[in-house]
Amino acid sequence: ARKRLRTALWRLRSTLDKHLSAGDVVRVARNRWGISDVVDLDVARFEAGILRGLNGPRSPVNPSGELSELESALRLYRGDLLEGQYEEWCQSERERLRVLYLDTLECMTRRYAAQGAWQQALNCGRRILERDPLREHIPREVMALYYLAGDRPRALRQFRHCRQTLKEELGVAPMQSTLEVRNALEAEDIRAIEAIVEP
């Protein structure tokens, strides 16, 4: 096994060093192997940008500063990590990054909604549903956001789409809380609708 590892590392170093011309890309120190700091990894920039955006100070002068930081980080996520690879380590890392992406979009949905930026909040909500249509609390928020953005018919269409997706994918009906959002939309109960997107 050690001989195979050394052979794999030698091949990796030969290939990377030739194409990147950045010096010694694969570093070996005793029994530890790693990638040199000279290599720019989009995954590392993605995670660092999200940490800065979520944990950075919020300025009253620029309240959406952290949101632009998060948007920049999310642009780096162009699909699941190493699609087509099925090793266990890869699948768990792929899922971790996917959840980080979706959770960050959820956070941004709520932050945009808190600012009354309905369209930006809707964009985030729709991006979540493109990747995970079964997060049932997200269609509820999207329904409320459509209504608050002045598009009640589209809010009701979102409910029907949610109901159909749950039926086709899981064979279940919407939760009671989702039905309550639909009822609030039909009754145009603005207080109940605003409560859905309150942080």
Side-chain angles (χ1 to χ4, degrees):
R2 186 168 291 186
K3 182 179 177 186
R4 286 188 194 141
L5 177 61
R6 277 200 296 267
T7 302
L9 285 170
W10 174 80
R11 285 186 179 143
L12 183 62
R13 290 172 103 170
S14 299
T15 303
L16 291 176
D17 289 348
K18 179 172 50 175
H19 292 291
L20 297 178
S21 66
D24 201 13
V25 174
V26 177
R27 294 221 175 137
V28 181
R30 295 186 187 179
N31 289 330
R32 297 186 66 146
W33 298 269
I35 301 293
S36 166
D37 295 340
V38 299
V39 177
D40 181 33
L41 300 174
D42 59 352
V43 170
R45 285 189 291 132
F46 167 71
E47 291 184 283
I50 287 174
L51 283 174
R52 280 192 308 273
L54 293 176
N55 300 323
R58 295 193 192 176
S59 162
V61 177
N62 184 14
S64 62
E66 80 276 3
L67 288 167
S68 61
E69 181 81 48
L70 292 171
E71 283 288 3
S72 295
L74 291 183
R75 277 194 288 278
L76 295 168
Y77 191 94
R78 293 183 295 274
D80 290 339
L81 177 72
L82 298 174
E83 290 185 70
Q85 300 297 318
Y86 301 104
E87 289 83 7
E88 187 176 329
W89 72 266
C90 185
Q91 290 182 15
S92 60
E93 186 67 2
R94 178 184 301 141
E95 182 60 18
R96 184 186 72 79
L97 292 169
R98 184 177 182 277
V99 167
L100 179 60
Y101 173 78
L102 294 171
D103 288 351
T104 302
L105 279 170
E106 276 196 44
C107 174
M108 292 173 65
T109 301
R110 293 187 185 106
R111 288 188 185 179
Y112 276 127
Q115 296 176 7
W118 312 128
Q119 288 303 324
Q120 290 93 328
L122 271 168
N123 289 339
C124 292
R126 287 191 298 248
R127 285 160 69 186
I128 295 167
L129 293 175
E130 285 172 9
R131 293 200 178 263
D132 190 355
L134 300 177
R135 286 186 177 207
E136 193 172 343
H137 60 286
I138 298 300
R140 290 194 292 269
E141 291 181 29
V142 169
M143 285 184 262
L145 289 165
Y146 273 128
Y147 183 88
L148 294 168
D151 197 344
R152 181 172 173 257
R154 201 149 178 204
L156 292 167
R157 278 199 304 272
Q158 179 65 51
F159 168 77
R160 291 191 293 274
H161 179 72
C162 172
R163 182 177 57 194
Q164 186 65 30
T165 300
L166 290 170
K167 182 179 177 183
E168 289 174 2
E169 296 287 329
L170 303 176
V172 299
M175 293 168 55
Q176 182 61 34
S177 48
T178 304
L179 297 174
E180 288 169 6
V181 174
R182 189 264 326 263
N183 294 341
L185 291 170
E186 288 178 343
E188 299 200 57
D189 183 348
I190 188 68
R191 293 173 92 177
I193 294 166
E194 286 176 340
I196 296 160
V197 294
E198 284 177 358

